[in-house]
Amino acid sequence: MIFLEGGRVVDPATRVDGIRTVILDGGRIKEVREQAPSPGERASNEVVDCRGLLVLPGLVDLHVHLREPGEEGKETIATGTRAAAAGGVTTVVAMPNTKPVCDSASVARFVQARAREAGFARVLPAGAITRGSLGESLSDMAELKDAGCICVTDDGRPVMSAGVMRRALEYARDLGLPVMVHAEDLTLTGPGCMNEGSVATRLGLPGIPAAAEVAMVQRDLLLAEMTGAHLHVAHVSAAGTVRAIREARARGVRVTAEATPHHFTLTDEAVAGALASVPAFRQEDAPPVEPYDTHAKMSPPLRSESDRQAIVGALSDGIIDAIATDHAPHGPLEKDVEFERAANGVIGLETSLALTLALVRAGDLALPRAVERLSSGPARCFGLPYGTLATGAPADVVLVDPDRAWKVDPQRFHSRSRNSPFATWTLRGRVIRTYLEGRLVHRSEE
Ligand code: DOR
Ligand code: ZN
């Protein structure tokens, strides 16, 4: 057995917040208790001194692009899950926009087999809503579910046809699968490559209005209401989306939602090279980037300060259930090009926890709530038995030094890609150890 002794255990699912000893046994949580290990227990077990550390349930990330199969130069299941372990993430939902798309049992099974081989994190595949994620004909969701997919999504693009979406929701509802949506009306996006607004005007870049997201979310909420299906809204970027979800929930629509660290930390000012108005970061902690830095380009785009604040508020009041990274690795071929031509996406697995703790330090989010949004919140979205230290749960545990400052150096990331907008930032909160089912899968070198 392993005894994690003397840390501040925060497990929102069981409402624990205090100094406790966590006991891991045979890959499961045996007990979380107040007493320290007895001399006899010390003599015959491994005891880890956790004084000064947070002891948290392993984090659950509902939105990760692992790129394998097909784009192993950007990331592999092994490197992506190694990055997850370094970030304290023990469960990841793998997006299906691989090459080929995960629209068949064979791809879903391949992803899980590779993840088991690597052994760094639990990988749950998401299947495509439509074949090839082309938005036309439905995938065989029953086959995907049978092969281990825990939700369906065409992430990276929307299902533009409302008729197709309606059938998808009906089919998924009957199978008990949540439908995760990348909500974007492409006719409003047009050639846009950043948020529509004064910053885009100043930079001379074509904009994407917030309405491109909000209109599609409203459509999907109506369809979810009509069908009774479970809609999960990915990467919420706009205040209007938060409002729409709040209203829908109040009338009983089955909807859950996630937001990313980049959307709750940055605004479209980052594209102009200015430091976003993030009170949690002092100027010297977060030096300005170059204007037109493609590491500030993703879909949906960084929005305005009022959108950012709406997301932070929704994380606090629970309208947004989960923090998910949308970890999207790209290489220099896609990123070292003109802004308009650059690929969308940033990596996030190794910075997500520290950026969340910045919200806590800023007083925007209480610590237990922050932990909830990273663990049991996302688990609950998809009905997963993870993200808790409850007795009998898989022993996924992360030890965190909440005050340890570290400088983000993408060269030192475990991820195969380096496209982080937070390079050179000084963050606080370092993952010291990560356990997956009782096995040590990450240990910080410092
Ligand atoms: O920024 C993004 N990158 N948004 C998406 O929806 C897809 C993702 C990717 O696959 O690179
Ligand atoms: Zn997306």
Side-chain angles (χ1 to χ4, degrees):
M1 291 191 284
I2 303 172
F3 287 65
L4 307 175
E5 179 194 8
R8 176 176 170 193
V9 177
V10 182
D11 183 37
T14 58
R15 296 173 185 279
V16 171
D17 180 1
I19 304 298
R20 298 284 192 282
T21 296
V22 178
I23 308 170
L24 319 185
D25 185 18
R28 303 246 157 213
I29 302 287
K30 183 172 161 56
E31 193 185 3
V32 175
R33 71 179 198 201
E34 298 203 4
Q35 305 121 270
S38 67
E41 285 170 334
R42 274 179 209 286
S44 47
N45 296 286
E46 180 186 349
V47 178
V48 182
D49 181 3
C50 299
R51 281 173 298 173
L53 302 182
L54 295 172
V55 180
L56 311 178
L59 311 184
V60 178
D61 191 335
L62 298 180
H63 199 133
V64 174
H65 296 272
L66 291 172
R67 303 297 190 217
E68 187 179 354
E71 293 185 290
E72 291 83 354
K74 297 182 178 185
E75 196 79 283
T76 65
I77 290 166
T79 60
T81 52
R82 182 65 189 85
V89 176
T90 48
T91 302
V92 306
V93 177
M95 290 298 106
N97 65 338
T98 45
K99 294 176 180 169
V101 166
C102 184
D103 60 3
S104 68
S106 59
V107 178
R109 293 217 161 91
F110 167 83
V111 167
Q112 292 166 96
R114 267 281 199 268
R116 269 194 301 274
E117 247 168 65
F120 297 119
R122 180 179 300 110
V123 175
L124 308 172
I129 298 174
T130 61
R131 289 182 195 281
S133 282
L134 295 171
E136 288 158 13
S137 56
L138 295 186
S139 65
D140 188 337
M141 292 184 203
E143 171 186 317
L144 290 169
K145 182 177 180 180
D146 200 48
C149 291
I150 52 120
C151 71
V152 286
T153 179
D154 277 356
D155 183 59
R157 36 180 133 177
V159 175
M160 281 295 287
S161 157
V164 171
M165 191 59 171
R166 177 212 178 149
R167 296 297 174 216
L169 287 162
E170 288 170 344
Y171 198 4
R173 173 203 61 206
D174 291 348
L175 291 165
L177 285 171
V179 178
M180 178 194 282
V181 287
H182 171 115
E184 177 181 8
D185 186 321
L186 296 173
T187 67
L188 287 168
T189 299
C193 63
M194 70 172 291
N195 183 43
E196 183 171 301
S198 59
V199 183
T201 306
R202 203 162 82 224
L203 294 175
L205 291 173
I208 305 168
E213 173 174 300
V214 183
M216 203 53 133
V217 167
Q218 290 283 24
R219 182 202 76 176
D220 289 343
L221 287 167
L222 279 174
L223 296 175
E225 185 168 24
M226 179 175 113
T227 57
H230 172 184
L231 185 75
H232 178 81
V233 181
H235 41 53
V236 171
S237 75
T241 300
V242 171
R243 199 178 321 123
I245 294 170
R246 178 176 286 116
E247 287 166 8
R249 238 189 230 171
R251 47 174 214 273
V253 180
R254 280 175 72 197
V255 55
T256 53
E258 61 179 52
T260 72
H262 47 274
H263 287 110
F264 70 61
T265 306
L266 300 169
T267 70
D268 56 0
E269 291 285 353
V271 184
L275 177 66
S277 52
V278 190
F281 292 98
R282 297 195 315 273
Q283 183 73 34
E284 67 266 29
D285 288 348
V289 291
E290 294 293 313
Y292 303 97
D293 188 334
T294 60
H295 294 149
K297 182 175 179 184
M298 71 289 289
S299 170
L302 299 170
R303 305 254 185 219
S304 69
E305 176 59 12
S306 56
D307 293 305
R308 190 189 74 79
Q309 284 178 16
I311 291 167
V312 171
L315 281 169
S316 179
D317 68 21
I319 290 299
I320 295 178
D321 307 82
I323 293 169
T325 57
D326 197 2
H327 178 86
H330 288 293
L333 275 177
E334 295 81 22
K335 284 295 197 181
D336 289 354
V337 297
E338 298 89 325
F339 194 88
E340 289 186 66
R341 291 182 47 228
N344 283 312
V346 297
I347 54 173
L349 281 167
E350 293 172 75
T351 47
S352 160
L353 176 60
L355 290 165
T356 305
L357 292 176
L359 289 185
V360 175
R361 262 193 314 280
D364 287 332
L365 201 58
L367 178 66
R369 244 175 234 190
V371 174
E372 208 270 343
R373 306 299 181 243
L374 288 164
S375 58
S376 51
R380 196 165 13 82
C381 284
F382 290 176
L384 306 172
Y386 313 119
T388 175
L389 301 175
T391 297
D396 302 344
V397 190
V398 51
L399 309 184
V400 180
D401 182 340
D403 300 314
R404 174 96 61 100
W406 57 287
K407 194 168 176 161
V408 179
D409 176 3
Q411 296 306 324
R412 301 186 64 186
F413 278 153
H414 293 274
S415 171
R416 187 164 276 180
S417 286
R418 317 257 167 261
N419 53 313
S420 167
F422 305 107
T424 77
W425 286 39
T426 298
L427 302 181
R428 284 172 180 72
R430 192 78 174 141
V431 173
I432 303 298
R433 286 183 181 215
T434 306
Y435 292 92
L436 173 68
E437 295 184 2
R439 259 185 325 109
L440 189 62
V441 287
H442 174 75
R443 184 179 189 151
S444 95
E445 315 95 64
E446 301 121 65

